[in-house]
Amino acid sequence: MVKITPSGNITEAVRILRQSRFTTAFTGAGISVESGIPPFRGKEGIWNHYDPKVLDIGFFIENPARSWAIIKELFYNFYHAAQPNAAHRVLARMEKEGKLGRVITQNIDNLHQEAGNKMVSEFHGNLKKLKCLSCDREYNAIKINLEELPPTCRECGDILKPDFVFFGESIPSSALMESYEAAGISDVFLLIGTTGEVMPANQFPPMAKANGATIIEINPEPSLYTNTTTDLFLQGKATEIMKKIEAGLFSPSLNDN
Ligand code: NAD
């Protein structure tokens, strides 16, 4: 039975996290909102302004210049400037201090790695790399001139595609395997800033719960998980709640108990 406690039961969350043997953080676009990156869905979501077909692999292959023009505007004009926020940093500290086993992220922004997390499964790839559609040669996106679109491969001349998962593409097999493993071994799944609408990523929190994990959720709004899967809902922004969790988790007085 879900406990909805506005800005609330941090103490309970800290108790659960402290006792956990293996915690997995499962993150969505919401954790990066306070780094200045808009989510896809919701009131401020980008799909209110753009047609999602630009990220369909079939459309991209047929219309690379049209897709790239929007992709550049959506991702490459400002993502490089985004920095990890306090929520990313607390997850990195938790991993370093043995309180977090893995991050499964649906994000493509690289901010978990930039904050310092090492055990990151990128369910939808990463935008910092571009890959040639023909010869698979990889490029660092920041070094590619995006003034002329679409960008092309220096080796074979074919189109470069951002190395994140487009609609119609498969999930990277390593991320899939690591997610199955995490859903099998975790005793806590910490959901941060995800609607639960994106398949197949959304199957992992219920799977973890079925395997005995406690589900803690952080989100300013209820999600599809809140009344179905979540055990403890902490309503609020990722940075605000994660800073409180950090204070509880690493406070010497509490650690003495
Ligand atoms: P979503 O866009 O569907 O939902 C965002 C969620 O974040 C919502 O539930 C919203 O209430 C919550 N949220 C908003 N502000 C928040 C805050 N300050 N703190 C915590 N939560 C907050 O996100 P999704 O379910 O992760 O799916 C979108 C897909 O789009 C992802 O799979 C990802 O591939 C891609 N995406 C990635 C990025 C990124 O890399 N930063 C950004 C947008 C979209």
Side-chain angles (χ1 to χ4, degrees):
M1 161 96 131
V2 62
K3 297 180 201 169
I4 297 197
T5 51
S7 78
N9 214 333
I10 302 288
T11 313
E12 176 71 351
V14 168
R15 188 189 62 74
I16 294 167
L17 287 167
R18 191 169 303 126
Q19 286 173 356
S20 166
R21 283 171 293 100
F22 195 101
T23 293
T24 293
F26 180 83
T27 66
I31 195 171
S32 296
V33 165
E34 293 164 87
S35 293
I37 302 179
F40 280 0
R41 293 172 177 74
K43 276 205 303 278
E44 308 298 327
I46 60 175
W47 294 147
N48 295 327
H49 312 288
Y50 296 97
D51 187 339
K53 79 174 179 209
V54 296
L55 292 185
D56 180 278
I57 188 64
F59 185 86
F60 177 82
I61 288 168
E62 294 294 317
N63 309 275
R66 271 176 72 193
S67 270
W68 254 113
I70 310 274
I71 287 168
K72 182 183 166 208
E73 192 179 327
L74 284 179
F75 300 112
Y76 291 100
N77 283 350
F78 69 96
Y79 266 54
H80 290 310
Q83 298 292 320
N85 64 44
H88 297 104
R89 287 196 295 273
V90 174
L91 289 180
R93 180 173 180 194
M94 285 172 66
E95 182 185 302
K96 197 161 168 233
E97 302 206 19
K99 294 287 172 208
L100 185 68
R102 176 160 294 282
V103 176
I104 300 172
T105 188
Q106 298 161 83
N107 295 342
I108 55 177
D109 55 27
N110 207 48
L111 292 183
H112 288 298
Q113 292 91 328
E114 287 171 36
N117 281 102
K118 306 263 182 276
M119 304 300 284
V120 182
S121 303
E122 292 180 308
F123 213 81
H124 295 149
N126 190 311
L127 57 68
K128 304 259 161 160
K129 236 172 27 186
L130 305 184
K131 213 169 182 178
C132 174
L133 283 179
S134 288
C135 70
D136 277 354
R137 186 172 164 170
E138 293 179 356
Y139 295 85
N140 182 344
I142 210 156
K143 296 192 172 150
I144 297 296
N145 178 3
L146 296 179
E147 289 313 308
E148 239 176 74
L149 296 176
T152 51
C153 180
R154 281 196 291 271
E155 294 287 310
C156 73
D158 203 354
I159 311 286
L160 300 183
K161 174 192 165 290
D163 199 22
F164 57 77
V165 177
F166 279 36
F167 297 120
E169 289 192 301
S170 3
I171 305 301
S173 57
S174 56
L176 211 47
M177 276 163 47
E178 288 157 3
S179 301
Y180 276 111
E181 186 191 56
I185 64 174
S186 300
D187 47 21
V188 178
F189 245 54
L190 177 61
L191 318 184
I192 309 178
T194 179
T195 53
E197 288 176 24
V198 181
M199 292 192 297
N202 63 0
Q203 69 181 294
F204 288 98
M207 197 186 295
K209 187 179 174 86
N211 289 329
T214 300
I215 311 296
I216 301 174
E217 179 179 14
I218 299 171
N219 201 311
E221 308 290 336
S223 72
L224 288 185
Y225 296 118
T226 311
N227 289 306
T228 54
T229 312
T230 300
D231 295 298
L232 185 63
F233 183 62
L234 304 174
Q235 189 157 25
K237 291 181 176 179
T239 58
E240 167 199 329
I241 303 285
M242 287 304 288
K243 282 195 272 189
K244 289 183 183 166
I245 286 182
E246 179 182 35
L249 204 52
F250 299 111
S251 131
S253 57
L254 286 170
N255 283 334
D256 290 344
N257 289 337

